[in-house]
Coordinates of all heavy atoms in Angstrom, one line a residue:
P26 N 54.4 153.4 89.5 CA 53.0 153.4 89.2 C 52.3 154.7 89.6 O 51.2 155.0 89.2 CB 52.5 152.2 90.1 CG 53.5 152.0 91.1 CD 54.9 152.5 90.5
L27 N 52.9 155.5 90.5 CA 52.4 156.8 91.0 C 52.6 157.9 90.0 O 51.9 158.9 90.0 CB 52.9 157.1 92.4 CG 52.7 156.0 93.4 CD1 53.3 156.5 94.8 CD2 51.3 155.5 93.5
T28 N 53.7 157.9 89.3 CA 54.1 159.0 88.4 C 54.0 158.6 86.9 O 54.1 159.4 86.0 CB 55.5 159.5 88.7 OG1 56.5 158.5 88.5 CG2 55.5 159.9 90.4
G29 N 54.3 157.3 86.7 CA 54.4 156.8 85.3 C 55.7 157.0 84.8 O 56.0 156.5 83.5
K30 N 56.7 157.5 85.5 CA 58.1 157.8 85.0 C 58.9 156.5 85.0 O 58.8 155.7 85.9 CB 58.8 158.9 85.7 CG 58.0 160.2 85.5 CD 58.7 161.3 86.2 CE 58.1 162.7 86.0 NZ 58.8 163.8 86.8
I31 N 59.8 156.3 84.0 CA 60.8 155.3 84.0 C 62.2 155.9 83.9 O 62.4 156.8 83.2 CB 60.6 154.4 82.8 CG1 59.3 153.8 82.7 CG2 61.7 153.4 82.8 CD1 59.1 152.9 81.5
I32 N 62.9 155.6 84.9 CA 64.3 156.3 85.0 C 65.2 155.6 84.1 O 65.0 154.5 83.5 CB 64.9 156.2 86.4 CG1 65.1 154.7 86.9 CG2 64.0 156.8 87.5 CD1 65.9 154.6 88.2
S33 N 66.3 156.2 83.6 CA 67.3 155.7 82.7 C 68.2 154.7 83.3 O 68.2 154.5 84.6 CB 68.2 156.9 82.2 OG 69.0 157.4 83.3
A34 N 68.6 153.9 82.5 CA 69.6 152.8 83.0 C 70.8 153.4 83.7 O 71.2 152.8 84.8 CB 70.1 152.0 81.8
S35 N 71.4 154.6 83.3 CA 72.5 155.2 84.0 C 72.1 155.6 85.4 O 72.8 155.5 86.4 CB 73.0 156.4 83.2 OG 72.0 157.3 83.0
Q36 N 70.9 156.2 85.5 CA 70.4 156.7 86.9 C 70.2 155.4 87.8 O 70.5 155.4 88.9 CB 69.1 157.5 86.8 CG 68.6 157.9 88.1 CD 67.4 158.8 88.0 OE1 67.1 159.4 87.1 NE2 66.6 158.9 89.2
R37 N 69.6 154.4 87.1 CA 69.3 153.1 87.9 C 70.6 152.5 88.5 O 70.7 152.1 89.6 CB 68.6 152.1 87.0 CG 68.1 150.9 87.8 CD 66.9 151.3 88.8 NE 66.2 150.0 89.2 CZ 66.3 149.5 90.4 NH1 67.1 150.0 91.3 NH2 65.6 148.4 90.8
L38 N 71.6 152.5 87.6 CA 72.9 152.0 88.1 C 73.6 152.8 89.0 O 74.1 152.3 90.1 CB 73.9 151.8 86.9 CG 73.5 150.8 85.8 CD1 74.3 150.9 84.6 CD2 73.8 149.4 86.4
R39 N 73.4 154.1 89.0 CA 74.0 154.9 90.1 C 73.2 154.7 91.4 O 73.8 154.7 92.5 CB 73.8 156.4 89.7 CG 74.8 156.9 88.6 CD 74.8 158.4 88.5 NE 73.6 159.0 88.0 CZ 73.3 159.2 86.8 NH1 74.1 158.8 85.8 NH2 72.1 159.7 86.4
E40 N 71.9 154.4 91.3 CA 71.1 154.1 92.5 C 71.4 152.8 93.1 O 71.6 152.6 94.2 CB 69.6 154.2 92.2 CG 69.1 155.7 91.9 CD 67.6 155.7 91.6 OE1 67.0 154.6 91.5 OE2 67.0 156.7 91.4
V41 N 71.8 151.8 92.2 CA 72.2 150.5 92.7 C 73.5 150.6 93.5 O 73.6 150.0 94.5 CB 72.4 149.5 91.5 CG1 73.0 148.2 92.0 CG2 71.0 149.2 90.9
I42 N 74.5 151.5 93.0 CA 75.7 151.7 93.8 C 75.4 152.4 95.1 O 75.9 152.0 96.1 CB 76.7 152.4 92.9 CG1 77.0 151.7 91.7 CG2 77.9 152.9 93.7 CD1 77.8 152.5 90.6
E43 N 74.4 153.3 95.1 CA 74.1 154.0 96.3 C 73.4 153.0 97.3 O 73.6 153.1 98.5 CB 73.2 155.0 95.9 CG 72.8 156.0 97.2 CD 73.9 156.7 97.9 OE1 75.0 156.9 97.3 OE2 73.7 157.0 99.1
L44 N 72.6 152.1 96.8 CA 72.0 151.2 97.7 C 73.0 150.2 98.3 O 72.9 149.8 99.6 CB 71.0 150.3 96.9 CG 69.7 151.0 96.3 CD1 68.8 149.9 95.5 CD2 68.8 151.5 97.5
G45 N 74.0 149.9 97.6 CA 75.0 149.0 98.1 C 75.8 149.8 99.2 O 76.1 149.2 100.3
K46 N 76.0 151.1 99.0 CA 76.7 151.9 100.1 C 75.8 152.1 101.2 O 76.3 151.9 102.5 CB 76.9 153.3 99.4 CG 77.7 154.3 100.4 CD 77.9 155.6 99.7 CE 78.7 156.5 100.6 NZ 78.9 157.9 99.9
L47 N 74.5 152.3 101.1 CA 73.6 152.5 102.2 C 73.5 151.1 103.0 O 73.6 151.1 104.2 CB 72.2 152.8 101.7 CG 72.0 154.2 101.1 CD1 70.6 154.3 100.5 CD2 72.2 155.2 102.2
A48 N 73.5 150.0 102.4 CA 73.4 148.8 103.0 C 74.7 148.5 103.8 O 74.6 147.9 105.0 CB 73.2 147.6 102.0
D49 N 75.8 148.9 103.3 CA 77.2 148.6 104.0 C 77.1 149.5 105.2 O 77.5 149.0 106.3 CB 78.2 149.0 103.0 CG 79.6 148.7 103.6 OD1 79.9 147.7 104.1 OD2 80.5 149.6 103.6
E50 N 76.8 150.7 105.1 CA 76.8 151.7 106.2 C 75.8 151.4 107.3 O 76.1 151.7 108.4 CB 76.6 153.2 105.7 CG 77.5 153.8 104.8 CD 77.3 155.0 104.1 OE1 76.0 155.4 104.1 OE2 78.2 155.7 103.6
A51 N 74.7 150.8 106.9 CA 73.7 150.4 107.9 C 74.1 149.1 108.6 O 73.3 148.7 109.7 CB 72.4 150.1 107.2
G52 N 75.2 148.4 108.2 CA 75.6 147.2 108.8 C 75.0 146.0 108.3 O 75.1 144.8 109.0
L53 N 74.4 145.9 107.2 CA 73.9 144.6 106.6 C 75.1 143.8 106.1 O 76.2 144.4 105.9 CB 72.9 144.9 105.5 CG 71.6 145.6 105.9 CD1 70.8 145.8 104.6 CD2 70.9 144.6 106.8
D54 N 74.9 142.5 105.8 CA 76.0 141.6 105.6 C 76.3 141.3 104.2 O 77.4 140.9 103.8 CB 75.7 140.3 106.2 CG 75.5 140.4 107.8 OD1 76.4 140.9 108.5 OD2 74.4 140.1 108.4
I55 N 75.2 141.4 103.3 CA 75.3 141.0 101.8 C 74.6 142.0 101.0 O 73.5 142.5 101.3 CB 74.7 139.6 101.7 CG1 75.2 138.6 102.7 CG2 74.8 139.1 100.3 CD1 74.2 137.6 103.1
F56 N 75.2 142.2 99.8 CA 74.6 143.0 98.8 C 74.8 142.3 97.4 O 75.8 141.9 97.0 CB 75.2 144.4 98.7 CG 74.6 145.2 97.6 CD1 73.3 145.8 97.9 CD2 75.1 145.4 96.3 CE1 72.6 146.6 96.9 CE2 74.5 146.2 95.5 CZ 73.3 146.8 95.7
G57 N 73.6 142.0 96.8 CA 73.7 141.2 95.6 C 73.0 141.9 94.4 O 72.1 142.8 94.5
V58 N 73.5 141.6 93.1 CA 72.8 142.2 92.0 C 72.6 141.0 90.9 O 73.4 140.0 90.9 CB 73.6 143.2 91.3 CG1 73.8 144.4 92.2 CG2 75.0 142.7 90.8
G59 N 71.4 141.0 90.3 CA 71.1 139.9 89.4 C 71.5 140.3 88.0 O 71.9 141.3 87.7
E60 N 71.4 139.1 87.1 CA 71.8 139.2 85.7 C 70.6 139.2 84.8 O 69.9 138.1 84.9 CB 72.8 138.2 85.5 CG 73.3 138.2 83.9 CD 74.1 137.0 83.6 OE1 74.6 136.3 84.6 OE2 74.3 136.7 82.4
H61 N 70.3 140.1 83.9 CA 69.3 140.0 82.9 C 69.8 140.6 81.6 O 70.6 141.5 81.6 CB 68.0 140.7 83.3 CG 67.3 140.1 84.5 ND1 67.7 140.3 85.7 CD2 66.2 139.1 84.5 CE1 66.9 139.5 86.5 NE2 66.1 138.9 85.8
H62 N 69.3 140.2 80.5 CA 69.9 140.6 79.2 C 68.7 141.2 78.5 O 68.1 140.6 77.4 CB 70.5 139.5 78.4 CG 71.8 139.1 79.1 ND1 73.0 139.6 78.9 CD2 71.9 138.0 80.0 CE1 73.9 139.0 79.8 NE2 73.2 138.0 80.4
R63 N 67.9 142.2 78.9 CA 66.8 142.7 78.5 C 66.8 144.2 78.7 O 67.5 144.7 79.6 CB 65.5 142.3 79.3 CG 65.3 140.7 79.2 CD 64.1 140.4 80.2 NE 62.9 141.1 79.7 CZ 62.0 140.6 78.8 NH1 62.2 139.4 78.3 NH2 61.0 141.3 78.5
L64 N 66.1 145.0 77.8 CA 66.1 146.5 77.9 C 65.5 147.0 79.1 O 65.5 148.1 79.4 CB 65.5 147.1 76.5 CG 66.4 147.0 75.4 CD1 65.7 147.4 74.1 CD2 67.8 147.7 75.6
D65 N 64.6 146.1 79.8 CA 63.8 146.6 80.9 C 64.6 146.3 82.3 O 64.0 146.3 83.3 CB 62.4 146.0 81.0 CG 62.3 144.6 80.5 OD1 63.3 143.9 80.4 OD2 61.1 144.2 80.2
Y66 N 65.9 146.0 82.1 CA 66.8 145.7 83.3 C 68.1 146.5 83.0 O 68.6 146.5 81.9 CB 67.0 144.3 83.6 CG 65.9 143.4 84.0 CD1 65.0 142.8 83.1 CD2 65.6 143.4 85.4 CE1 63.9 142.1 83.6 CE2 64.5 142.6 85.8 CZ 63.6 142.1 84.9 OH 62.5 141.4 85.3
A67 N 68.7 147.0 83.9 CA 69.9 147.8 83.8 C 71.2 147.0 84.0 O 72.3 147.5 83.7 CB 69.9 149.0 84.8

């Protein structure tokens, strides 16, 4: 909402993997991803 930009699905997926890595390194217990079949979800 601050820039109006929408990142690509490939970038979003790379970021999701990075979030899982960050959560693991920080000592959190669970990492989950949801399922959607729409172009506005990666």
Side-chain angles (χ1 to χ4, degrees):
L27 306 183
T28 65
K30 293 183 179 179
I31 301 176
I32 65 173
S33 66
S35 59
Q36 182 179 340
R37 188 71 162 104
L38 289 169
R39 288 192 295 271
E40 290 182 356
V41 168
I42 295 168
E43 182 63 22
L44 292 178
K46 183 179 178 181
L47 290 172
D49 185 53
E50 292 172 345
L53 294 177
D54 303 298
I55 305 149
F56 183 74
V58 299
E60 174 188 349
H61 293 84
H62 300 273
R63 303 175 54 92
L64 290 172
D65 38 18
Y66 291 89

